[in-house]
Amino acid sequence: MIGTKLPDAEWQHAEGLKKVLAVLGDAHGGPRYVGGAVRDTLLGLPVADVDIATALEPMDVIDRLEAGGIKAIPTGIEHGTVTAAIGGKNYEITTLRRDVATDGRRATVAFATDWREDAARRDFTINALYAEPKSGEIFDYFNGLEDLATRRLRFIGNANERIAEDFLRILRYFRFLARYGSGQLNADAIAACAKGAHGLTALSRERIAQELTRILSLRDPALSIELMITHGIFTPFLPELSSSAANDLQNLIKREQQFAQIASLPARFLALLKRDAVAVDKVAARLKLSNKLREGFARRLTAPPPKPDNIRATAYHADIETARDVVMLYSTDSDVPECLAQLQQWEIPSLNVKGGDLIKLGLTAGPLVAKTLQAIEATWIDEGFPDIQRQNELASQTVNAALSETKNA
Ligand code: ATP
Ligand code: MG
């Protein structure tokens, strides 16, 4: 059960963090942890990064950090955020704020000293929990503790208004829903997301892509994605969504769980799209996806339909992860176990025969060596990557054939 004190967790013992808190001092009750670190510690989950809220103004924060010999990075000074870098970790320290104006994308903020006001401008009740570092006392202005205990994701205030202030909150809603929302669905919040979806076009594509990537990287985003599809959230930025996207993603995740294999991010993306390189390219360009992701798409889309007798070849031409993804995405149910078994505990071999060996066998150095080597490799792959003895046989056979061909020519 969730108590009213922050449980002890390893991240709280980092020397760097203690030093940061010490230099920030005690003014206005001192700094407090906020957001993910509090939420996830209460749930007993690991914490990746620690956000700190303070009533001190950003310049004061920078001065204090520097005076304490801590590197201060003015990450978003106009929004009140300074990053303290110490002990190999970054701590985001943000001055308490109040929204002065919002336009659906960025807020203009004023610095404040009121904790409740700062909490009110955060998105969800479970994200607006603060903890006092020394005592562990939790400050909960909007019933976030109860929502956390019942796994309910709730906007602070009126969902329609909160979304109109910042449309990114729609995507954050579905991300946090996939992460924490096993409780009852909130129909009003989902309706508000649907109503605000058109506003997503106001956001930069990078921000949309980043949120979508985060959603797709979660352990099981299938329900969130299905809700997003049903409520038209993708329409403004991803009209290429395949008509079976919800089902295909669900199947992919079912297979992941059944075979204890996590599919990679490109595979999760591809589950949403038609198996069509041109359409996928269009999506990648629109969302300005990384080259790494695009290359990942291309490798998976160019692989032949996965079968137990060709899946190692796919791994050989690409890599094991790609082959595994292709199985998880595109195999028939009956082929999945055998395809995966082919990849399990199998290392991609390399051909031992080299160009020099072919010259020793009688070929003259030149383009014919490369061509013959390719032919040997192709047969070797076809035969299922046989060992060195068979490779040598293949080498002499293929060289002899090449030699008699040149003689006849
Ligand atoms: P994560 O584990 O994903 O980092 P987090 O809750 O720490 O989760 P961040 O994106 O790091 O999420 O943001 C930190 C906090 O800032 C959130 O918990 C929330 O209180 C607030 N916040 C972030 N983005 C928004 C937004 N678009 N609108 C309102 N509040 C936001
Ligand atoms: Mg965070």
Side-chain angles (χ1 to χ4, degrees), residues 261-314:
Q261 308 267 354
I262 300 293
S264 68
L265 179 63
R268 291 278 186 90
F269 255 106
L270 286 175
L272 303 181
L273 302 169
K274 290 189 198 91
R275 209 167 149 187
D276 164 358
V278 176
V280 171
D281 251 3
K282 213 166 122 189
V283 169
R286 171 160 355 92
L287 294 181
K288 302 190 179 160
L289 300 180
S290 68
N291 283 337
K292 188 169 170 239
L293 210 42
R294 289 181 193 212
E295 285 158 17
F297 293 154
R299 277 198 298 275
R300 284 155 184 79
L301 288 169
T302 49
K307 287 276 164 200
D309 64 5
N310 71 7
I311 198 62
R312 285 188 172 178
T314 296

Side-chain angles (χ1 to χ4, degrees), residues 34-37 39 49-51:
V34 67
R39 181 194 63 222
D49 46 45
V50 179
D51 295 307

Side-chain angles (χ1 to χ4, degrees), residues 34-37 39-40 47-51 92 172 175-176 179:
V34 67
R39 181 194 63 222
D40 291 345
V47 164
D49 46 45
V50 179
D51 295 307
E92 291 223 323
R172 286 178 63 88
R175 170 154 70 93
F176 285 101
R179 253 170 102 178

Side-chain angles (χ1 to χ4, degrees), residues 79-101:
H79 292 99
T81 304
V82 174
T83 301
I86 180 167
K89 289 228 175 298
N90 284 343
Y91 299 98
E92 291 223 323
I93 305 166
T94 304
T95 303
L96 302 188
R97 296 171 293 192
R98 150 166 48 89
D99 286 341
V100 176

